[in-house]
Amino acid sequence: MKLGCIADDFTGATDLANNLVRSGMRVMQTFGVPQAALSSDVDAVVVALKTRTIPASQAIAQSLEALHWLKAQGAEQIYFKYCSTFDSTPAGNIGPVTEALMGALDCKFTIATPAFPDNGRTVFKGYLFAGAVLLNESGMQNHPLTPMTDANLVRVMQAQTQRKVGLIDHTVMAKGTAAISAKIEQLQADGVGVAIVDATSNEDLKTLGPALKNMPLLTAGSGVAIGLPANWNLQASAQAAALPKATGYQAIVSGSCSIATQGQVAHYQSLGLPSWQFKPLSWSHHDVPAQIKSEVAQALAWAQPLLSKGPVLIYATTDADTLQKVQAQFGREQAGEWMESALAQVSAGLLQMGVKQWVIAGGETSGACVQALNISQMQIGPQIDPGVPWCFAPQHAAGHLTLKSGNFGTPDFFTKALKHLSEASA
């Protein structure tokens, strides 16, 4: 194994694996740390964890467990992957996990950049932009679990780590790989342990790649991945993304409340296609789990006669005002846990009905559904939209899945994804 990756959520893991496959690596994604040695012959493994919003001590323990397994498989370099919106809290978990991995690898210096220009995530003078606006003006300031109110990544990272945080800015990037390497040496001499890296284009990331060749640990969003396979003399290949033919019914399960996913739900509904929405504001405080179980049963009863006619959408996606009301009624964390539970139960029920083509929207939702489906590994296939590939669960009834980060994908993503799979596996 050339590259061993640790991702802090399930969609983020798939996002990273997608970029590695596009650049020529054969990639397997696991959910959680495997209990045995890897049986597949691949260039990279992405261990998907669900550590973005759990207590930092737990995130560290799980990340170190993944590190030890990857090193035991012979991984030459470790990549800690987080979201392209760098979302976390002042207490972590990006900083604490980075520090723990650096300590375990005896790594004195690493980089940090969530830049992913293909999806509009760019870093300039240390500030993170989402499209044309600063991160804290993009809607991420309203994230239900990790609201981002500061776009200055040096400041955000410094609040989470005891190591000195520096910056490799756009003026250095413009001078090429040798200048980047020289800047890294200078920062290390100045006592910097972590450097935010500017990147406004894919060319920046490809220029950065060779400067990272001998670094034991990288931390980044998925964008940096496009510049790494060349360090092992690997080139893009369609064969790396080949998947088996798709069969079975189609379903979309959406829990993200991001602006992008709201638009995708609206577009799907505008086509007159069938959809069913959870309405947590109708729940009373008395025995919510029982109410969820009842509503799940209603959703599945609604879906069953429709599945043979085409895709169905079951969703909890809603607008920011409604989300705030739900959180005010039940509490932010509890509301999130209950909706994850509801959508996980839905996915388990749909599996029993014969669904084998899945579009799952939202990082936390994807994690909950994959765990409910009891999927342990996925083979990574062709890209649908930047950061979102089709995947296949080998030796599992679930079949093909795409796990979409809430902020990713075009407005027509739901229908486009299913059409793409049909054409790719024809």
Side-chain angles (χ1 to χ4, degrees), residues 34-53:
Q35 298 303 305
L38 191 71
S39 58
S40 303
D41 181 17
V42 294
D43 301 306
V45 173
V46 182
V47 177
L49 303 178
K50 205 164 178 286
T51 55
R52 183 170 300 169
T53 58

Side-chain angles (χ1 to χ4, degrees), residues 200-371:
T200 60
S201 68
N202 282 350
E203 289 308 309
D204 283 341
L205 297 173
K206 291 175 182 177
T207 301
L208 175 65
L212 307 177
K213 185 173 183 178
N214 297 315
M215 198 172 288
L217 172 70
L218 314 176
T219 89
S222 67
V224 167
I226 67 174
L228 298 182
N231 289 343
W232 288 280
N233 298 315
L234 295 173
Q235 298 179 345
S237 166
Q239 188 59 35
L243 294 180
K245 181 178 176 61
T247 61
Y249 294 142
Q250 302 170 326
I252 303 152
V253 180
S254 179
S256 168
C257 293
S258 72
I259 293 172
T261 305
Q262 290 179 47
Q264 290 154 0
V265 169
H267 181 274
Y268 178 91
Q269 293 172 327
S270 75
L271 300 176
L273 296 170
S275 63
W276 196 97
Q277 184 181 26
F278 278 92
K279 295 183 172 60
L281 285 179
S282 67
W283 301 343
S284 69
H285 282 274
H286 176 68
D287 200 1
V288 173
Q291 295 173 72
I292 291 174
K293 185 176 181 180
S294 174
E295 198 163 357
V296 166
Q298 294 173 44
L300 294 173
W302 166 85
Q304 188 161 24
L306 299 172
L307 285 169
S308 62
K309 303 173 185 178
V312 299
L313 165 64
I314 298 179
Y315 69 105
T317 303
T318 191
D319 60 85
D321 288 344
T322 303
L323 177 62
Q324 288 178 2
K325 291 176 182 177
V326 173
Q327 291 176 338
Q329 183 167 324
F330 298 109
R332 173 179 287 178
E333 292 186 6
Q334 185 63 79
E337 289 175 6
W338 276 335
M339 285 317 311
E340 286 178 38
S341 173
L343 295 174
Q345 291 176 53
V346 161
S347 65
L350 291 172
L351 178 65
Q352 294 301 314
M353 294 178 185
V355 171
K356 293 180 180 292
Q357 300 176 51
W358 304 81
V359 178
I360 305 179
E364 299 301 315
T365 301
S366 293
C369 290
V370 165
Q371 289 175 340

Side-chain angles (χ1 to χ4, degrees), residues 28 63 66 87 105 107 119 136 143 167 231-232 270 285 290 297 313 315 322 357 364 396:
M28 183 67 72
S63 300
D87 53 308
L105 290 166
C107 175
N119 255 330
N136 56 300
H143 192 285
L167 174 65
N231 289 343
W232 288 280
S270 75
H285 282 274
L313 165 64
Y315 69 105
T322 303
Q357 300 176 51
E364 299 301 315
H396 193 285

